[in-house]
Amino acid sequence: MTMRDVAYNLPFFYGSISRSEADEYLKLGGLSDGLFLLRLCLRNLGGYVLSVVFDLKPHHYPIERQLNGTYAISGGKSHCGPEELCAYYARDADGLCCVLLKPCLRPSGIEPKPGVFDSIREHMLREYARQTWNLEGESLESAIISQAPQLQKLIASTAHEKMAWYHGLIQREEAERRLFSGAQPDGKYLLRQRKEAGAYALSMLYGKSAYHYRIDLDKSGKFAIPDGSKCDTLWQLVEYLKLKSDGVIHVLREVCNNPSQPAEPARPPSLPPNRLSAISLACNPDGYTPEPIGGRRILPMDAESYVSPYSDPEELKDKTLYLKRECLLIDEVELGSGNFGCVKKGVYRMRKKQIDVAIKVLKNDNEKSLKDELMKEAEFMQKLDNPYIVRMIGVCQAEHLMLVMEMASGGPLNKFLSSKKDQLTIENVVELLHQVSIGMKYLEENHFVHRDLAARNVLLVNQHYAKISDFGLSKAIGADDSYYKARTAGKWPVKWYAPECINFRKFSSKADVWSFGITMWEALTYGQKPYKKMKGPEVVSFIEQGGRLERPAECPDEMYELMKKCWIYKCEDRPGFEEVENSMRIYHHHITQKVSTDDKVSENT
Ligand code: AMP
């Protein structure tokens, strides 16, 4: 998985170059009015700088990525990406020194310069997910796919721990001893931690003397030398001070290596484990976790149910479809109900651990058809093992027939969203929908059709972790078939069904894609009912006539475009989940890249 900058393909994007390098390129380009280039901002994660020539001089405008994922030059209009922003200023100067007239193209053979963090990010992401959550194989891959943006933020803020210039908690005297050992060039430097929480110091040599500068963390979470420029992370501050002696006596030149920092590729930064459990505990029973201030927020992988209950081979030894009644503790609390009976809360004791479970209890064991249905659902679920799908633990035949599943205590997505409308961002909703698309891609790859995908059947483990549930209508598609054909029409969720399901009883993954589009609409309206006042047959003729659900009020363009693709009439022309998941992933990453930037600073490099 390679995460490229969204601007990577722009021919006038230079990546992580300094202001003076930008000036050089613009000089080479002829310094004509309106000549411009785009580069990465060295101090703000996810930000850029637009460099424009006017009156033979380059002018530099920092572009910040804002909390809602849009980009803006301080005081200017917001745009959905750096490319769109440049296109806008090519039409209208709107406060800039002049309109953008001519892109200063990268010389051939020169690629955008990677930032320091780019080269170690991927390795760190993988190692971090592997070690912190003990993940391997499929689970590791899906963790990285769905959580890359959040993990990146987390890792960016601890990446300095892996740098050779970082010496950890040492005293000023020890710092001086290390600086004065060996050669003593101007600009030899190291960074150390101070005793006070969140405080650091930069120590450096100049003219054979040692200088020490405090680095403080301000209220908005940015690092700065007193009176110096602010940076999102410590490693960015160091990169910045290598280019400009802003507030310090000399630019940083030579690393004073930490003797205990191994010269091997970056290891993952470590979070104290107790911080994780504190966060898990802070999660309310309804799955809602207020975002911790300054701390790290809970990720799906922190949930016990992220890892398969059977990932430990010991637990697999005596795994059968049927569970022993004495291992099952049933609570009186009802989580929900359906026409089969009710769903209760419980605990299931495995060989080595206990897990929270939800138990579907059949109310009338004498009704054979219901019993058959529940058994079919169980047999189907037994084949599934994916972090974004509710796992079945087994079936228990005791006082009633019971289907035991892992617990998703946040309940159905539609209810959750309508009750938390004011607290949940679009970014959060997109994150959950992306997870649903990962789970659906898994079903598609395994030739299963869900046939009842809807927001009511997406359950939440917590605010940032969704799982697909309710496999009562699901089917496996035969090896030689591309769809399942229902013998008769039944009690169907018509508003979620594609035209070929209604007209020909044909169910393929493409039909599930249609339902995914409706689920997206439900989620992005924060739990509204689709086609509100219409009855089933009215919806069918509305669709036949080319009608589609309207764009939800707060829905980003990209998400409505994807919904409309999911509702392409002919299933052959509709995308599959591979494409849908890819679009969701790109958009999810796009809107979550930036560490919060609530205080805008102008770049004065
Ligand atoms: P179902 O008939 O499968 O849609 O289940 C009915 C209701 O029971 C759901 O809407 C949920 O509120 C609840 N429920 C079902 N499965 C679970 C689960 N695995 N964890 C938590 N609640 C569940």
mmCIF file of all heavy atoms in Angstrom, residues 1 17 20 37 88 121 180 208 243 246 261 306 485 493 539:
data_model
loop_
_atom_site.group_PDB
_atom_site.id
_atom_site.type_symbol
_atom_site.label_atom_id
_atom_site.label_comp_id
_atom_site.label_asym_id
_atom_site.label_seq_id
_atom_site.Cartn_x
_atom_site.Cartn_y
_atom_site.Cartn_z
ATOM 1 N N MET A 1 0.845 -1.187 0.000
ATOM 2 C CA MET A 1 0.000 0.000 0.000
ATOM 3 C C MET A 1 0.887 1.247 0.000
ATOM 4 O O MET A 1 1.659 1.481 0.906
ATOM 5 C CB MET A 1 -0.866 -0.008 1.250
ATOM 6 C CG MET A 1 -1.826 1.133 1.270
ATOM 7 S SD MET A 1 -2.505 1.390 2.921
ATOM 8 C CE MET A 1 -1.060 1.850 3.827
ATOM 9 N N ILE A 17 10.114 20.577 -0.659
ATOM 10 C CA ILE A 17 11.304 21.407 -0.914
ATOM 11 C C ILE A 17 11.218 22.675 -0.051
ATOM 12 O O ILE A 17 10.148 23.048 0.408
ATOM 13 C CB ILE A 17 11.444 21.804 -2.412
ATOM 14 C CG1 ILE A 17 10.235 22.626 -2.881
ATOM 15 C CG2 ILE A 17 11.650 20.578 -3.292
ATOM 16 C CD1 ILE A 17 10.431 23.293 -4.229
ATOM 17 N N SER A 20 13.873 28.339 -0.286
ATOM 18 C CA SER A 20 14.929 28.793 -1.196
ATOM 19 C C SER A 20 15.012 27.893 -2.423
ATOM 20 O O SER A 20 15.288 28.364 -3.526
ATOM 21 C CB SER A 20 16.268 28.902 -0.472
ATOM 22 O OG SER A 20 16.529 27.708 0.195
ATOM 23 N N LEU A 37 4.312 27.540 -8.417
ATOM 24 C CA LEU A 37 4.498 26.123 -8.112
ATOM 25 C C LEU A 37 3.877 25.817 -6.742
ATOM 26 O O LEU A 37 3.562 26.739 -5.973
ATOM 27 C CB LEU A 37 5.985 25.721 -8.150
ATOM 28 C CG LEU A 37 6.972 26.367 -7.183
ATOM 29 C CD1 LEU A 37 6.909 25.733 -5.808
ATOM 30 C CD2 LEU A 37 8.398 26.179 -7.733
ATOM 31 N N TYR A 88 -8.780 27.634 -8.969
ATOM 32 C CA TYR A 88 -9.559 28.816 -8.590
ATOM 33 C C TYR A 88 -8.713 30.085 -8.722
ATOM 34 O O TYR A 88 -9.138 31.068 -9.331
ATOM 35 C CB TYR A 88 -10.065 28.650 -7.153
ATOM 36 C CG TYR A 88 -10.712 29.903 -6.606
ATOM 37 C CD1 TYR A 88 -12.022 30.239 -6.949
ATOM 38 C CD2 TYR A 88 -10.008 30.753 -5.758
ATOM 39 C CE1 TYR A 88 -12.619 31.397 -6.457
ATOM 40 C CE2 TYR A 88 -10.594 31.912 -5.263
ATOM 41 C CZ TYR A 88 -11.900 32.224 -5.615
ATOM 42 O OH TYR A 88 -12.476 33.363 -5.136
ATOM 43 N N ARG A 121 7.028 6.250 6.894
ATOM 44 C CA ARG A 121 5.635 6.119 7.325
ATOM 45 C C ARG A 121 5.068 4.716 7.144
ATOM 46 O O ARG A 121 4.496 4.144 8.052
ATOM 47 C CB ARG A 121 4.788 7.130 6.559
ATOM 48 C CG ARG A 121 3.322 7.006 6.829
ATOM 49 C CD ARG A 121 2.570 8.157 6.248
ATOM 50 N NE ARG A 121 2.865 8.359 4.833
ATOM 51 C CZ ARG A 121 2.674 9.502 4.193
ATOM 52 N NH1 ARG A 121 2.210 10.539 4.835
ATOM 53 N NH2 ARG A 121 2.953 9.608 2.916
ATOM 54 N N PHE A 180 29.853 17.734 23.041
ATOM 55 C CA PHE A 180 31.285 18.030 22.988
ATOM 56 C C PHE A 180 32.147 16.804 22.720
ATOM 57 O O PHE A 180 33.347 16.917 22.580
ATOM 58 C CB PHE A 180 31.745 18.731 24.277
ATOM 59 C CG PHE A 180 31.309 20.173 24.315
ATOM 60 C CD1 PHE A 180 30.421 20.626 25.271
ATOM 61 C CD2 PHE A 180 31.790 21.080 23.364
ATOM 62 C CE1 PHE A 180 30.020 21.950 25.298
ATOM 63 C CE2 PHE A 180 31.386 22.411 23.386
ATOM 64 C CZ PHE A 180 30.496 22.846 24.353
ATOM 65 N N LYS A 208 31.863 26.631 19.374
ATOM 66 C CA LYS A 208 32.361 25.795 20.482
ATOM 67 C C LYS A 208 31.645 26.032 21.822
ATOM 68 O O LYS A 208 32.129 25.664 22.881
ATOM 69 C CB LYS A 208 33.888 25.986 20.685
ATOM 70 C CG LYS A 208 34.728 25.712 19.452
ATOM 71 C CD LYS A 208 35.286 24.294 19.467
ATOM 72 C CE LYS A 208 36.266 24.047 18.331
ATOM 73 N NZ LYS A 208 35.631 23.559 17.095
ATOM 74 N N LEU A 243 16.446 24.249 7.935
ATOM 75 C CA LEU A 243 16.400 25.153 6.786
ATOM 76 C C LEU A 243 16.512 26.611 7.189
ATOM 77 O O LEU A 243 16.978 27.436 6.432
ATOM 78 C CB LEU A 243 15.080 24.954 6.026
ATOM 79 C CG LEU A 243 14.877 23.565 5.445
ATOM 80 C CD1 LEU A 243 13.461 23.387 4.972
ATOM 81 C CD2 LEU A 243 15.850 23.334 4.298
ATOM 82 N N ASP A 246 15.264 30.033 12.740
ATOM 83 C CA ASP A 246 14.164 30.858 13.224
ATOM 84 C C ASP A 246 14.120 30.801 14.751
ATOM 85 O O ASP A 246 13.613 29.836 15.329
ATOM 86 C CB ASP A 246 12.862 30.304 12.604
ATOM 87 C CG ASP A 246 11.684 31.188 12.917
ATOM 88 O OD1 ASP A 246 11.859 32.252 13.522
ATOM 89 O OD2 ASP A 246 10.557 30.799 12.542
ATOM 90 N N GLN A 261 20.338 4.841 20.408
ATOM 91 C CA GLN A 261 19.366 4.714 19.310
ATOM 92 C C GLN A 261 19.982 3.814 18.252
ATOM 93 O O GLN A 261 20.955 4.203 17.617
ATOM 94 C CB GLN A 261 19.098 6.109 18.731
ATOM 95 C CG GLN A 261 17.886 6.221 17.840
ATOM 96 C CD GLN A 261 16.582 6.299 18.584
ATOM 97 O OE1 GLN A 261 15.988 5.274 18.856
ATOM 98 N NE2 GLN A 261 16.130 7.490 18.921
ATOM 99 N N TYR A 306 -12.149 -6.999 17.487
ATOM 100 C CA TYR A 306 -11.468 -6.793 16.204
ATOM 101 C C TYR A 306 -10.792 -8.081 15.779
ATOM 102 O O TYR A 306 -10.840 -8.490 14.638
ATOM 103 C CB TYR A 306 -10.424 -5.673 16.311
ATOM 104 C CG TYR A 306 -9.849 -5.363 14.972
ATOM 105 C CD1 TYR A 306 -10.508 -4.501 14.110
ATOM 106 C CD2 TYR A 306 -8.699 -6.002 14.518
ATOM 107 C CE1 TYR A 306 -10.036 -4.258 12.841
ATOM 108 C CE2 TYR A 306 -8.213 -5.766 13.255
ATOM 109 C CZ TYR A 306 -8.884 -4.894 12.424
ATOM 110 O OH TYR A 306 -8.416 -4.665 11.161
ATOM 111 N N LYS A 485 -30.722 -17.036 -7.720
ATOM 112 C CA LYS A 485 -32.077 -16.734 -8.175
ATOM 113 C C LYS A 485 -33.085 -17.243 -7.146
ATOM 114 O O LYS A 485 -33.140 -18.434 -6.847
ATOM 115 C CB LYS A 485 -32.330 -17.372 -9.543
ATOM 116 C CG LYS A 485 -33.741 -17.135 -10.027
ATOM 117 C CD LYS A 485 -33.811 -16.875 -11.504
ATOM 118 C CE LYS A 485 -35.260 -16.545 -11.841
ATOM 119 N NZ LYS A 485 -35.497 -16.190 -13.180
ATOM 120 N N PRO A 493 -37.124 -6.325 1.573
ATOM 121 C CA PRO A 493 -36.884 -4.887 1.796
ATOM 122 C C PRO A 493 -36.746 -4.149 0.461
ATOM 123 O O PRO A 493 -35.648 -3.802 0.033
ATOM 124 C CB PRO A 493 -35.562 -4.881 2.583
ATOM 125 C CG PRO A 493 -34.872 -6.147 2.193
ATOM 126 C CD PRO A 493 -35.935 -7.150 1.840
ATOM 127 N N VAL A 539 -42.041 3.118 -5.095
ATOM 128 C CA VAL A 539 -40.589 3.241 -5.210
ATOM 129 C C VAL A 539 -40.122 2.517 -6.472
ATOM 130 O O VAL A 539 -39.312 3.032 -7.241
ATOM 131 C CB VAL A 539 -39.877 2.685 -3.958
ATOM 132 C CG1 VAL A 539 -38.374 2.630 -4.156
ATOM 133 C CG2 VAL A 539 -40.215 3.524 -2.743
#
